[in-house]
Amino acid sequence: MSGLAVERLSVALGGRPILREVSFEVAPGQFVGLIGSNGAGKTTLLRTILGFQAPAAGSVRRGSVGYVPQKILLDPDLPVRARDLVALGLDGSRLGLPLPSASRRRRVEEMLAAVDALAFADERIGRLSGGQQQRVLIAHALIRRPTLLLLDEPLANLDLHSAAGVVTLLGRLCREQGIAILISAHDMNPLLGVMDRIVYLADGRAAVGTVDEVVRGDVLSELYGHHVDVIRVHGRILVVVAPAAELAEPEQHATLLPPAPR
Amino acid sequence: MSRLAGLLLAAGFLTSAPVHTALLVGGGAAVISGVVGVFTVIRGQAFAGHALADVSSAGGSLAFLLGVNPILGFLGMAGAAAAGMEAVGVRRLRGRDLATGVVLGAGLALAALFLYLDSTTTSTTGAAITVMFGSMFAIPAATGRLAAVVGGAALAGVALMYRPLLLASVDADLAAAQGVRVGGAGLMYALVLALSVALSAVTVGAILSTALLIGPAATALRLSRRPGQAMLVAAAIGLAATWLGILLAYDSYVWTPGHGWPVSFFIVTLIMAAHLLASRGRA
Ligand SMILES: Nc1ncnc2c1ncn2[C@@H]1O[C@H](COP(=O)(O)OP(=O)(O)OP(=O)(O)O)[C@@H](O)[C@H]1O
Ligand SMILES: [Mg+2]
């Protein structure tokens, strides 16, 4: 199949339930945001979809996949240029030595241009900035033209301008090439213009639908299990999770806040 | 001037059969160590590489005891240790380090036993020195032929696994998402490493084979930003150091009183010098 179907998926890590009965679909050409605060289980869900993590129950059906991980640690001395990593996206699983090929080189060049990475294509990837690495990783994931693209917090390292650039790029790829995109973020705001649907994770469960259907006080209060306010200002959405009365320490979950540096 | 040439090429260097074998086997070991070493350094497995070499000395010393070809001893032990380490600690880096440490301890205990038995029960008094530090000018022709097979297998392994291994060494998750069997690639790498270590153990010795594996590769990473090129540079540095080292050691029979200095000393010193030069050049 192309796209993605997740059905009643439950995942436990170290004996602790992380996800409970999560179900949703991403059709080809659909752009879906996977939203949740730190520790909500976004990475866990993506890794389970990839098959890196076995589910406790439920099923995942998907087509060919491209993946942009949340963080990858790269040594600054690693002798791999940005264009080498993109080329490995094309045929990294093949056996034998790569033969010089003009068409291969052209495809790598086109992909680098598509993510606006030509300027640093010949730098070592370990010496690129976080945002530059992000672009190269997106090119690496996309060059094989997968039917499903999974991105784990690709905007976390980017300034507002670059984030908008990447979102526009992803939106275009999604429409023009009919790729199904599932992208995780703890701030939904940069994605509001392109998201068709949202999968909102909290407390191990997911609320699924359009932004207007899901990001509402009553729906999210139900999901979190206590009162949640949704405030819309200047076309942005702020979700305020009130600390439960019995909690000693107040929790801050405002998704409008900039992501904490990691 | 001709005296200098005479000193550089002490009498018989180009016609001596042991020197020929040393140049061929030593050069081959250096080239393969350089190529494999780039993967070792990228994967952050210098410790595992060194441990493998130390452990292989148990196989080398057992081979002396049994009277079989030492290269088979080194290879058998290194292969078993490599498979063991990969099997125990595939997933976690920390786990791998601990697995390496445990295997290393056990291997060295065996080496201590076999070397002791070598020195007490057989007439091969030089076994310990040969196993640990190599004996470049005493490589039998039969070992040379075996070395060619081992070296060929190592290069074939690297060529076959080049792309999956490179991707898995950059990031295991990226590789797995592409359908690379990361565990299988790691095992293949470990076996290639075992071949390479066995080869360099018979030339510069088990202990010093780390220098041949890590030194040229680490230097190459400073000089090249492309993976394939880095491997060629590492191979070239290792080859140059080995051949020059053999020449200097041969010559040292002339200018030292007695038996000359060990080849391994010269090779490792040259590798170190190349690394310092490359670091200074870039700083
Ligand atoms: N190996 C593990 N064993 C046990 N618990 C784990 C493990 N890995 C993650 N967890 C827990 O699973 C929960 C979900 O983690 P996950 O990384 O999926 O969150 P996330 O939504 O991606 O968070 P972030 O926004 O910080 O990336 C967290 O509470 C975390 O502590
Ligand atoms: Mg995460």
Side-chain angles (χ1 to χ4, degrees), chain A residues 176-236:
Chain A
E176 286 175 4
Q177 306 195 13
I179 300 173
I181 293 190
L182 180 63
I183 174 173
S184 84
H186 45 259
D187 180 9
M188 71 182 92
N189 283 296
L191 300 173
L192 287 179
V194 285
M195 264 192 304
D196 297 305
R197 290 159 73 75
I198 188 170
V199 175
Y200 199 111
L201 283 184
D203 204 18
R205 293 179 305 139
V208 182
T210 64
V211 173
D212 288 337
E213 285 166 2
V214 170
V215 190
R216 290 172 17 186
D218 54 343
V219 175
L220 293 188
S221 295
E222 160 85 27
L223 187 65
Y224 277 96
H226 50 257
H227 184 74
V228 172
D229 287 308
V230 174
I231 304 167
R232 294 174 187 253
V233 272
H234 304 308
R236 293 169 69 82

Side-chain angles (χ1 to χ4, degrees), chain B residues 2-261:
Chain B
S2 70
R3 238 193 106 214
L4 183 65
L7 251 180
L8 270 180
L9 287 175
F13 181 78
L14 291 176
T15 50
S16 145
V19 168
H20 284 171
T21 312
L23 289 174
L24 283 178
V25 179
V31 165
I32 286 153
S33 292
V35 169
V36 175
V38 168
F39 279 119
T40 308
V41 174
I42 291 179
R43 296 169 71 82
Q45 289 184 345
F47 177 46
H50 178 70
L52 214 56
D54 282 0
V55 169
S56 77
S57 66
S61 44
L62 180 62
F64 269 95
L65 205 57
L66 302 177
V68 300
N69 196 309
I71 210 171
L72 291 176
F74 284 118
L75 184 57
M77 198 65 194
M85 285 180 207
E86 275 303 310
V88 179
V90 204
R91 291 263 158 221
R92 270 180 250 129
L93 258 184
R94 211 175 92 83
R96 189 200 303 276
D97 240 22
L98 296 181
T100 304
V102 170
V103 172
L104 173 61
L108 283 179
L110 282 179
L113 172 66
F114 295 148
L115 284 175
Y116 174 77
L117 294 178
D118 277 338
S119 64
T120 51
T121 63
T122 71
S123 55
T124 50
T125 42
I129 294 286
T130 300
V131 167
M132 292 303 182
F133 303 108
S135 55
M136 197 79 98
F137 292 133
I139 300 172
T143 300
R145 282 192 293 278
L146 200 52
V149 174
V150 169
L155 282 185
V158 169
L160 185 71
M161 293 301 291
Y162 179 76
R163 281 177 282 185
L165 199 49
L166 186 60
L167 188 53
S169 305
V170 172
D171 185 82
D173 283 349
L174 283 185
Q178 288 250 347
V180 172
R181 303 233 315 271
V182 176
L187 186 61
M188 259 313 264
Y189 158 77
L191 294 178
V192 165
L193 178 62
L195 290 169
S196 154
V197 161
L199 202 53
S200 45
V202 293
T203 56
V204 293
I207 296 238
L208 291 179
S209 67
T210 311
L212 214 48
L213 185 72
I214 305 299
T219 309
L221 254 55
R222 312 205 143 199
L223 299 177
S224 173
R225 59 173 75 169
R226 302 161 66 160
Q229 199 180 61
M231 286 172 200
L232 293 180
V233 171
I237 293 172
L239 185 64
T242 300
W243 280 358
L244 201 56
I246 290 172
L247 177 62
L248 291 174
Y250 190 86
D251 288 354
S252 73
Y253 282 89
V254 177
W255 52 259
T256 55
H259 295 80
W261 287 4

Side-chain angles (χ1 to χ4, degrees), chain A residues 13-14 16 18 37-44 70 153 186 262:
Chain A
L13 293 177
R16 203 156 64 83
I18 306 292
S37 45
N38 291 137
K42 304 181 292 295
T43 299
T44 305
Q70 178 165 3
E153 304 252 13
H186 45 259
R262 46 183 85 248

Side-chain angles (χ1 to χ4, degrees), chain A residues 47 50 52 65 67 69 72 74 77-81 84-85 88-89 91-98 122-124 127 137 140 144, chain B residues 38 42 158-167 169-174 176-180 221-227 230 282:
Chain A
R47 293 181 62 85
L50 280 158
F52 297 173
V65 67
Y67 172 50
I72 101 171
L74 296 169
D77 279 343
L78 193 67
V80 176
R81 300 166 302 169
D84 297 321
L85 188 63
L88 282 173
D91 53 18
S93 57
R94 294 245 185 92
L95 298 181
L97 293 173
D122 290 314
E123 296 293 324
R124 293 175 199 245
R127 295 190 188 166
L137 287 175
H140 168 91
R144 256 216 278 208
Chain B
V38 168
I42 291 179
V158 169
L160 185 71
M161 293 301 291
Y162 179 76
R163 281 177 282 185
L165 199 49
L166 186 60
L167 188 53
S169 305
V170 172
D171 185 82
D173 283 349
L174 283 185
Q178 288 250 347
V180 172
L221 254 55
R222 312 205 143 199
L223 299 177
S224 173
R225 59 173 75 169
R226 302 161 66 160
R282 237 188 32 154

Side-chain angles (χ1 to χ4, degrees), chain A residues 16-61:
Chain A
R16 203 156 64 83
I18 306 292
L19 298 171
R20 277 177 288 162
E21 306 235 320
V22 172
S23 298
F24 66 95
E25 289 184 9
V26 187
Q30 234 181 17
F31 195 112
V32 174
L34 175 62
I35 311 298
S37 45
N38 291 137
K42 304 181 292 295
T43 299
T44 305
L45 177 55
L46 293 176
R47 293 181 62 85
T48 310
I49 293 170
L50 280 158
F52 297 173
Q53 171 69 44
S59 70
V60 171
R61 283 180 301 135

